[in-house]
Amino acid sequence: MRTPIVKIFSCCLFVMLSAGVLAQPVKVTVNQTKDGFSLMRNGKPYFIKGAGGSTKMEQLAAFGGNSIRTWGSRNSGPTLDKAQSLGLTVTLGLDVARERHGFNYGDTAAVHQQLEKLKKEVIAYKDHPAVIIWGIGNELNLDYKNPKVWDAVNDISKMIHQLDPNHLTTTMLAGANAKVIGDIKARCQDIDLLSVQVYGGLASVPGQMAGAGWTKGYMVTEWGPTGHWESKILPWKAAVEETSSEKAAVYRSRYEASIAKDKHCVGSYVFLWGQKQERTPTWYGLFTEAGESSEVVDVMQYLWSGSWPKNRAPHLDSLLLNGKRLPEAIYLGKDQQYPVAVFASDPDKDKLSYRWELLPESTDLGQGGDRESRPKEIPGLVTDRFPKGATLTTPGKPGPYRLFLYVMDGNNKVATGNVPFFVKED
């Protein structure tokens, strides 16, 4: 009669181990050094070389990254398990309601209900060995008016620390605004780190943090190209996007001027390790919808590992429409043909091919990373395609459009660029 019981126990134990139930959390602390701060994971210094998003984790690990960041924690078990299998850690996001989406931080019952919901998520994942930091909300300061949000964040941080003594807490701010940081210092002292999300102004972050009087360590949990709100805006309200090659240059220069040198910064998460529609399909993703990687990924591998990939992405020097170069405003007539000139090269001398796409300018415009729908392609108007250009026939309907180019090297590497233009009435 004892044998079946032993077998049942063994099977249950195997299932529990497989599910990670008995997995041990890894202790994480933030220590003050003589000139700044350092994360310690399992007693060893740990500088975050991370990316936002939970896709393409194999590539992240292969290129020298060591961590991912998510925006919500529900159903995160598979993501944590995969990260653990690849030797990656996770800053696990807790989806905290935003005032700009209608949440009222003066409603004590709603705030308490949110706390209880998040408590269940913390309990579910607090012992997973891949967890490194809890990210409490995302850009809660964007268009906010009620500073009580930081009281709520502080209470969430206290709840986490009571349940989980092994991991740190942070909250992610849009920008490094001194007034907001002052509110955090006054109302949210329980968090271990502050996180800021900055794009064009990344190189100024060390000075801004010091000027705001932040005396703890911090992370940069989103950074990347020049943001659409920071870019040159054309008369029809379209923002000028950098080419992937221009992005690669600013990613490197801004990282080296801030994250890499400020000893108060304990690491960062580049945005976005994947692809999304935000103003355009190419603005923030380091990969295309087809999964190709750009020159920016090459730069990230260099920044993380100190070495360049064996095969480098194509370089797009410029893209001219009707002989005009951005940021000049380009006006064209309707139903007319115009030349498009491409100046691209490949560092490995790979044979390049070109993919074109014409889209109407996006009108579904979100804020703070809110979901946007992708405009539908207008087919058949890019013709006479040749290695260094093409012919564009403009649409018959006046209005704003954007011509996209993808330069491919045959090795899943790509350069991207686009030209916004406006079709006038006759």
PDB file of all heavy atoms in Angstrom, residues 32-47:
ATOM      1  N   GLN A  32      25.068  51.447  -2.169  1.00  0.00           N
ATOM      2  CA  GLN A  32      25.747  52.702  -2.454  1.00  0.00           C
ATOM      3  C   GLN A  32      27.243  52.447  -2.524  1.00  0.00           C
ATOM      4  O   GLN A  32      27.821  51.761  -1.678  1.00  0.00           O
ATOM      5  CB  GLN A  32      25.432  53.756  -1.391  1.00  0.00           C
ATOM      6  CG  GLN A  32      25.965  55.138  -1.753  1.00  0.00           C
ATOM      7  CD  GLN A  32      25.289  56.236  -0.940  1.00  0.00           C
ATOM      8  OE1 GLN A  32      24.527  55.958  -0.024  1.00  0.00           O
ATOM      9  NE2 GLN A  32      25.550  57.478  -1.305  1.00  0.00           N
ATOM     10  N   THR A  33      27.872  52.987  -3.558  1.00  0.00           N
ATOM     11  CA  THR A  33      29.316  52.870  -3.738  1.00  0.00           C
ATOM     12  C   THR A  33      29.954  54.227  -3.435  1.00  0.00           C
ATOM     13  O   THR A  33      29.260  55.186  -3.102  1.00  0.00           O
ATOM     14  CB  THR A  33      29.647  52.438  -5.167  1.00  0.00           C
ATOM     15  OG1 THR A  33      29.238  53.474  -6.088  1.00  0.00           O
ATOM     16  CG2 THR A  33      28.913  51.148  -5.535  1.00  0.00           C
ATOM     17  N   LYS A  34      31.252  54.299  -3.592  1.00  0.00           N
ATOM     18  CA  LYS A  34      31.936  55.561  -3.281  1.00  0.00           C
ATOM     19  C   LYS A  34      31.547  56.689  -4.245  1.00  0.00           C
ATOM     20  O   LYS A  34      31.634  57.869  -3.893  1.00  0.00           O
ATOM     21  CB  LYS A  34      33.453  55.364  -3.302  1.00  0.00           C
ATOM     22  CG  LYS A  34      34.011  54.964  -4.662  1.00  0.00           C
ATOM     23  CD  LYS A  34      35.527  54.831  -4.603  1.00  0.00           C
ATOM     24  CE  LYS A  34      36.104  54.456  -5.973  1.00  0.00           C
ATOM     25  NZ  LYS A  34      37.573  54.338  -5.935  1.00  0.00           N
ATOM     26  N   ASP A  35      31.106  56.313  -5.458  1.00  0.00           N
ATOM     27  CA  ASP A  35      30.756  57.355  -6.421  1.00  0.00           C
ATOM     28  C   ASP A  35      29.364  57.186  -7.029  1.00  0.00           C
ATOM     29  O   ASP A  35      29.028  57.839  -8.013  1.00  0.00           O
ATOM     30  CB  ASP A  35      31.786  57.410  -7.554  1.00  0.00           C
ATOM     31  CG  ASP A  35      32.032  56.048  -8.192  1.00  0.00           C
ATOM     32  OD1 ASP A  35      31.372  55.069  -7.778  1.00  0.00           O
ATOM     33  OD2 ASP A  35      32.879  55.964  -9.096  1.00  0.00           O
ATOM     34  N   GLY A  36      28.525  56.296  -6.470  1.00  0.00           N
ATOM     35  CA  GLY A  36      27.199  56.118  -7.023  1.00  0.00           C
ATOM     36  C   GLY A  36      26.463  54.948  -6.405  1.00  0.00           C
ATOM     37  O   GLY A  36      26.492  54.762  -5.186  1.00  0.00           O
ATOM     38  N   PHE A  37      25.840  54.149  -7.276  1.00  0.00           N
ATOM     39  CA  PHE A  37      25.040  53.016  -6.818  1.00  0.00           C
ATOM     40  C   PHE A  37      25.272  51.820  -7.724  1.00  0.00           C
ATOM     41  O   PHE A  37      25.639  51.957  -8.893  1.00  0.00           O
ATOM     42  CB  PHE A  37      23.547  53.370  -6.799  1.00  0.00           C
ATOM     43  CG  PHE A  37      23.198  54.390  -5.771  1.00  0.00           C
ATOM     44  CD1 PHE A  37      23.280  55.749  -6.066  1.00  0.00           C
ATOM     45  CD2 PHE A  37      22.809  54.007  -4.495  1.00  0.00           C
ATOM     46  CE1 PHE A  37      22.982  56.705  -5.112  1.00  0.00           C
ATOM     47  CE2 PHE A  37      22.502  54.957  -3.535  1.00  0.00           C
ATOM     48  CZ  PHE A  37      22.588  56.305  -3.839  1.00  0.00           C
ATOM     49  N   SER A  38      25.054  50.627  -7.162  1.00  0.00           N
ATOM     50  CA  SER A  38      25.230  49.401  -7.915  1.00  0.00           C
ATOM     51  C   SER A  38      24.184  48.390  -7.483  1.00  0.00           C
ATOM     52  O   SER A  38      23.934  48.227  -6.283  1.00  0.00           O
ATOM     53  CB  SER A  38      26.632  48.822  -7.683  1.00  0.00           C
ATOM     54  OG  SER A  38      26.760  47.550  -8.293  1.00  0.00           O
ATOM     55  N   LEU A  39      23.566  47.723  -8.453  1.00  0.00           N
ATOM     56  CA  LEU A  39      22.709  46.598  -8.128  1.00  0.00           C
ATOM     57  C   LEU A  39      23.573  45.405  -7.769  1.00  0.00           C
ATOM     58  O   LEU A  39      24.624  45.166  -8.374  1.00  0.00           O
ATOM     59  CB  LEU A  39      21.828  46.214  -9.325  1.00  0.00           C
ATOM     60  CG  LEU A  39      20.700  47.145  -9.737  1.00  0.00           C
ATOM     61  CD1 LEU A  39      19.875  46.484 -10.841  1.00  0.00           C
ATOM     62  CD2 LEU A  39      19.813  47.506  -8.563  1.00  0.00           C
ATOM     63  N   MET A  40      23.113  44.631  -6.800  1.00  0.00           N
ATOM     64  CA  MET A  40      23.765  43.388  -6.425  1.00  0.00           C
ATOM     65  C   MET A  40      22.732  42.271  -6.565  1.00  0.00           C
ATOM     66  O   MET A  40      21.655  42.336  -5.962  1.00  0.00           O
ATOM     67  CB  MET A  40      24.288  43.458  -5.000  1.00  0.00           C
ATOM     68  CG  MET A  40      25.260  44.600  -4.734  1.00  0.00           C
ATOM     69  SD  MET A  40      26.823  44.454  -5.651  1.00  0.00           S
ATOM     70  CE  MET A  40      27.562  43.067  -4.786  1.00  0.00           C
ATOM     71  N   ARG A  41      23.049  41.284  -7.363  1.00  0.00           N
ATOM     72  CA  ARG A  41      22.153  40.137  -7.547  1.00  0.00           C
ATOM     73  C   ARG A  41      22.895  38.884  -7.096  1.00  0.00           C
ATOM     74  O   ARG A  41      23.956  38.559  -7.626  1.00  0.00           O
ATOM     75  CB  ARG A  41      21.721  40.023  -9.010  1.00  0.00           C
ATOM     76  CG  ARG A  41      20.728  38.888  -9.269  1.00  0.00           C
ATOM     77  CD  ARG A  41      20.157  38.956 -10.677  1.00  0.00           C
ATOM     78  NE  ARG A  41      19.136  37.935 -10.869  1.00  0.00           N
ATOM     79  CZ  ARG A  41      19.340  36.759 -11.436  1.00  0.00           C
ATOM     80  NH1 ARG A  41      20.538  36.446 -11.930  1.00  0.00           N
ATOM     81  NH2 ARG A  41      18.352  35.879 -11.549  1.00  0.00           N
ATOM     82  N   ASN A  42      22.333  38.233  -6.114  1.00  0.00           N
ATOM     83  CA  ASN A  42      22.981  37.061  -5.533  1.00  0.00           C
ATOM     84  C   ASN A  42      24.397  37.409  -5.051  1.00  0.00           C
ATOM     85  O   ASN A  42      25.329  36.607  -5.171  1.00  0.00           O
ATOM     86  CB  ASN A  42      23.030  35.904  -6.532  1.00  0.00           C
ATOM     87  CG  ASN A  42      23.168  34.555  -5.864  1.00  0.00           C
ATOM     88  OD1 ASN A  42      22.840  34.396  -4.693  1.00  0.00           O
ATOM     89  ND2 ASN A  42      23.676  33.578  -6.587  1.00  0.00           N
ATOM     90  N   GLY A  43      24.545  38.625  -4.535  1.00  0.00           N
ATOM     91  CA  GLY A  43      25.816  39.065  -3.977  1.00  0.00           C
ATOM     92  C   GLY A  43      26.837  39.555  -4.975  1.00  0.00           C
ATOM     93  O   GLY A  43      27.955  39.904  -4.598  1.00  0.00           O
ATOM     94  N   LYS A  44      26.461  39.631  -6.269  1.00  0.00           N
ATOM     95  CA  LYS A  44      27.404  40.059  -7.306  1.00  0.00           C
ATOM     96  C   LYS A  44      26.877  41.301  -8.032  1.00  0.00           C
ATOM     97  O   LYS A  44      25.678  41.432  -8.238  1.00  0.00           O
ATOM     98  CB  LYS A  44      27.619  38.926  -8.312  1.00  0.00           C
ATOM     99  CG  LYS A  44      28.205  37.659  -7.692  1.00  0.00           C
ATOM    100  CD  LYS A  44      28.332  36.558  -8.742  1.00  0.00           C
ATOM    101  CE  LYS A  44      28.886  35.271  -8.120  1.00  0.00           C
ATOM    102  NZ  LYS A  44      28.983  34.179  -9.116  1.00  0.00           N
ATOM    103  N   PRO A  45      27.772  42.215  -8.426  1.00  0.00           N
ATOM    104  CA  PRO A  45      27.334  43.408  -9.153  1.00  0.00           C
ATOM    105  C   PRO A  45      26.594  43.031 -10.433  1.00  0.00           C
ATOM    106  O   PRO A  45      26.986  42.085 -11.135  1.00  0.00           O
ATOM    107  CB  PRO A  45      28.642  44.136  -9.467  1.00  0.00           C
ATOM    108  CG  PRO A  45      29.608  43.638  -8.445  1.00  0.00           C
ATOM    109  CD  PRO A  45      29.234  42.216  -8.185  1.00  0.00           C
ATOM    110  N   TYR A  46      25.532  43.771 -10.722  1.00  0.00           N
ATOM    111  CA  TYR A  46      24.683  43.450 -11.866  1.00  0.00           C
ATOM    112  C   TYR A  46      24.245  44.748 -12.525  1.00  0.00           C
ATOM    113  O   TYR A  46      23.399  45.466 -12.005  1.00  0.00           O
ATOM    114  CB  TYR A  46      23.462  42.642 -11.410  1.00  0.00           C
ATOM    115  CG  TYR A  46      22.653  42.037 -12.535  1.00  0.00           C
ATOM    116  CD1 TYR A  46      22.949  40.772 -13.024  1.00  0.00           C
ATOM    117  CD2 TYR A  46      21.571  42.717 -13.082  1.00  0.00           C
ATOM    118  CE1 TYR A  46      22.193  40.208 -14.049  1.00  0.00           C
ATOM    119  CE2 TYR A  46      20.808  42.167 -14.089  1.00  0.00           C
ATOM    120  CZ  TYR A  46      21.130  40.902 -14.572  1.00  0.00           C
ATOM    121  OH  TYR A  46      20.377  40.345 -15.587  1.00  0.00           O
ATOM    122  N   PHE A  47      24.836  45.059 -13.670  1.00  0.00           N
ATOM    123  CA  PHE A  47      24.449  46.249 -14.434  1.00  0.00           C
ATOM    124  C   PHE A  47      23.451  45.819 -15.496  1.00  0.00           C
ATOM    125  O   PHE A  47      23.723  44.912 -16.293  1.00  0.00           O
ATOM    126  CB  PHE A  47      25.672  46.893 -15.080  1.00  0.00           C
ATOM    127  CG  PHE A  47      25.366  48.216 -15.733  1.00  0.00           C
ATOM    128  CD1 PHE A  47      25.253  49.365 -14.971  1.00  0.00           C
ATOM    129  CD2 PHE A  47      25.193  48.313 -17.108  1.00  0.00           C
ATOM    130  CE1 PHE A  47      24.963  50.592 -15.564  1.00  0.00           C
ATOM    131  CE2 PHE A  47      24.910  49.531 -17.709  1.00  0.00           C
ATOM    132  CZ  PHE A  47      24.800  50.671 -16.932  1.00  0.00           C
TER     133      PHE A  47
END
